[in-house]
Amino acid sequence: MTTRRFPDGFLFGAATAAYQIEGAAFEDGRTASIWDAFSRVPGAVIAGDNGDVACDHYHRYGDDVALMRELGLQTYRFSTSWSRVRPDGGAVNTQGVDFYSRLVDELLGAGILPWLTLYHWDMPQALQDNGGWTNRDVVERFLDYAGTVHDALGDRVNVWTTLNEPWCSSFLSYTGGEHAPGHTSVAEGLLAAHHQLLAHGETIRELRSRDATLDLGITLNHTVADPADPQNPRDADAARRVDGQFNRWFLDPIYRGEYPADIVEDIRAVDADAVARFEAAVRDGDLETISQPIDTQGVNYYHGDLLAGEAPAQPPVSGGPSTERTGRSPYPSDHGIHAVERGLPRTAQNWEIQPEGLTRLLRRLSDEYTAERGVTLYVTENGAAFDDVVDEDGQVHDADRAEFVRQHLAAVLDAADAGVDVRGFFYWSLMDNFEWAWGYDKRFGIVRVDYDTQQRTVKDSGREYARIIAARAL
């Protein structure tokens, strides 16, 4: 077998998010976030689950960092909770800030690089009550929050990510209704996306002014949108619109200082009032702010999409959670967009397993956006949910997840071999956790969590990842 080595300096890590693991939802001054509220809406989350306890990481962070060290992780991507640091969007909560200070010290003591994300979807509910991301005033509140976190941790944390997956926290949340706050408005999705990007740009500008040595960036989730028949104009158009509404809506403002004109017109054709509200919200100077130069882009990739302009005879199984709520498409312009079954293996969430899509995605991002601007790429989330079984020996022999990791790391190496400046990989997730609208129904971790006892057990996939890290090779 051929051994493939990772480039010198390539970072291996794992990722989590505050609401998904911390628990202690209403302890030490923390108040409700939009996910505390949304998870209590009947039918919004499978089994009515919530993050009140989750993995109890707030109390067990020391043991969890020791586990990271045991696995050989070089870096840990975590998020700070807005609702813990500035409860209700108001005054600083020193107890909440102190928790993250202790966590950072623990990581540094273990030789693990802290990789901080400021927003992984837990806006204070009090701000949502005033419009949330649809209200431009929230940009200043976010800047206050970001400044507070930097005041506390800027002396020890060098890598700062503003937002995680703004597509999810705008279109999936304010237009599709699947995530908090669970709204189904095209206009609100557009406004939320713009104000999040504006908050990103303002934060980059502020942190850069404080410390020019910081590594600053954003994490975007992406799909690879392929037409079922490239020669069919309707299939090609469906792929163009998914790519435009999922990828380019965020890439183009950040890197080019403009929203994709073709997608603006597509949305105008189906909801002119929503576009009018969006255009009125984009003020002079906004796009200049949004397109502040960044150092790093995080790439979150799980699978791509095969798309057709007409409904196929055999539609693919749904990859969404089987909740009781009725939402709508997260794509503002969704007519004539149909997913097509292509016979790929699937995870327990019915997400396709498509590692070659990650190679193509990284090459496309490099060729069209990042390389000429000197921006470094990191795969900040990639992982899979499978129906894990605890064996008689108390272990989880998850060969399917271990193979998933190997395949996607090979895809990253393929991109690097093609000249892409990609310098790291974070598995999602370090441990099983609250998986948003899926609740605790699906497990992504390389570490199993027994939610009744909070016992952690490294799965076979975790051991395989540790072996790869130690060898720095596939």
Side-chain angles (χ1 to χ4, degrees):
M1 295 178 63
T2 302
T3 298
R4 303 183 67 188
R5 300 201 61 81
F6 287 88
D8 293 341
F10 189 91
L11 290 174
F12 293 93
T16 65
Y19 187 75
Q20 292 181 270
I21 68 165
E22 286 181 0
F26 301 101
E27 291 185 36
D28 294 342
R30 184 188 179 280
T31 57
S33 74
I34 55 175
W35 271 96
D36 292 294
F38 184 66
S39 63
R40 286 166 167 76
V41 175
V45 176
I46 291 176
D49 292 336
N50 60 54
D52 285 6
V53 176
C55 305
D56 196 32
H57 175 73
Y58 186 79
H59 299 113
R60 300 170 186 267
Y61 71 92
D63 291 340
D64 289 339
V65 173
L67 191 56
M68 297 176 209
R69 185 174 187 176
E70 177 186 327
L71 291 169
L73 298 185
Q74 297 173 283
T75 181
Y76 172 55
R77 178 175 175 254
F78 66 99
S79 72
T80 49
S81 167
W82 194 347
S83 293
R84 198 178 295 285
V85 173
R86 303 283 297 242
D88 297 333
V92 176
N93 175 32
T94 56
Q95 290 177 293
V97 171
D98 287 347
F99 166 69
Y100 295 110
S101 186
R102 295 193 303 272
L103 173 60
V104 166
D105 285 346
E106 197 80 16
L107 290 167
L108 292 172
I112 298 169
L113 174 73
W115 192 287
L116 190 149
T117 300
L118 287 164
Y119 188 68
H120 202 131
W121 310 348
D122 51 358
M123 169 182 282
Q125 178 60 34
L127 294 181
Q128 179 56 44
D129 291 341
N130 196 36
W133 285 113
T134 70
N135 185 340
R136 190 181 177 99
D137 289 346
V138 81
V139 174
E140 288 302 315
R141 303 290 76 72
F142 185 81
L143 197 57
D144 292 341
Y145 156 62
T148 297
V149 178
H150 183 265
D151 288 343
L153 306 179
D155 60 332
R156 287 159 289 160
V157 175
N158 188 63
V159 185
W160 295 76
T161 302
T162 54
L163 309 173
N164 176 78
E165 299 185 350
W167 182 85
C168 289
S169 47
S170 58
F171 291 134
L172 194 62
S173 302
Y174 285 87
T175 296
E178 182 177 314
H179 281 188
H183 296 183
T184 54
S185 163
V186 170
E188 287 194 18
L190 295 173
L191 293 173
H194 179 65
H195 293 147
Q196 285 185 42
L197 287 172
L198 187 59
H200 154 78
E202 293 281 15
T203 301
I204 294 291
R205 178 183 284 157
E206 172 63 18
L207 295 185
R208 187 84 68 196
S209 72
R210 292 180 173 212
D211 184 350
T213 69
L214 296 178
D215 186 325
L216 304 177
I218 189 171
T219 283
L220 305 177
N221 56 321
H222 294 290
T223 188
V224 177
D226 292 320
D229 177 1
Q231 305 306 314
N232 182 322
R234 295 184 65 180
D235 293 0
D237 190 64
R240 176 191 65 81
R241 285 189 291 132
V242 167
D243 176 64
Q245 294 173 92
F246 205 116
N247 297 325
R248 290 189 288 126
W249 194 266
F250 301 92
L251 289 166
D252 286 8
I254 291 169
Y255 290 106
R256 298 172 178 166
E258 61 187 17
Y259 285 101
D262 61 322
I263 301 303
V264 172
E265 295 311 312
D266 289 335
I267 301 172
R268 194 190 311 275
V270 296
D271 197 331
D273 289 342
V275 173
R277 288 183 62 187
F278 160 72
E279 290 178 331
V282 180
R283 300 179 185 174
D284 289 345
D286 280 5
L287 286 162
E288 180 182 357
T289 296
I290 291 169
S291 58
Q292 293 291 305
I294 58 176
D295 305 299
T296 294
Q297 187 197 321
V299 178
N300 290 2
Y301 172 83
Y302 291 93
H303 61 85
D305 293 285
L306 188 66
L307 300 156
E310 296 182 2
Q314 181 189 0
V317 292
S318 170
S322 55
T323 58
E324 300 170 15
R325 281 173 55 85
T326 300
R328 55 145 289 160
S329 170
Y331 298 115
S333 172
D334 67 333
H335 62 287
I337 293 177
H338 302 278
V340 176
E341 177 62 56
R342 49 183 159 184
L344 293 175
R346 291 178 177 270
T347 70
Q349 285 177 295
N350 290 318
W351 292 3
E352 291 182 331
I353 301 174
Q354 188 194 0
E356 60 82 23
L358 177 55
T359 305
R360 286 195 286 138
L361 171 62
L362 291 169
R363 294 186 67 172
R364 186 258 181 115
L365 292 173
S366 176
D367 290 346
E368 297 184 20
Y369 293 98
T370 62
E372 66 181 288
R373 296 170 176 86
V375 175
T376 304
L377 295 172
Y378 291 82
V379 177
T380 40
E381 283 185 31
N382 174 252
F386 290 105
D387 292 328
D388 297 333
V389 176
V390 180
D391 210 343
E392 294 179 357
D393 60 3
Q395 302 300 306
V396 177
H397 303 299
D398 56 339
D400 39 15
R401 185 177 287 107
E403 180 61 16
F404 184 98
V405 172
R406 286 190 293 267
Q407 289 179 350
H408 286 81
L409 281 170
V412 174
L413 281 177
D414 289 343
D417 289 346
V420 176
D421 186 10
V422 53
R423 301 188 195 176
F425 176 91
F426 295 73
Y427 180 80
W428 180 273
S429 175
L430 171 66
M431 53 189 162
D432 299 334
N433 55 41
F434 176 83
E435 191 51 44
W436 308 116
W438 291 89
Y440 298 102
D441 189 56
K442 301 301 176 190
R443 294 176 177 268
F444 271 87
I446 51 175
V447 175
R448 175 182 170 81
V449 176
D450 182 319
Y451 297 116
D452 293 327
T453 66
Q454 291 296 335
Q455 179 180 347
R456 274 72 158 144
T457 303
V458 178
K459 305 176 188 179
D460 282 2
S461 58
R463 295 190 183 90
E464 174 64 0
Y465 192 36
R467 184 197 65 78
I468 292 168
I469 295 170
R472 298 195 59 79
L474 285 177

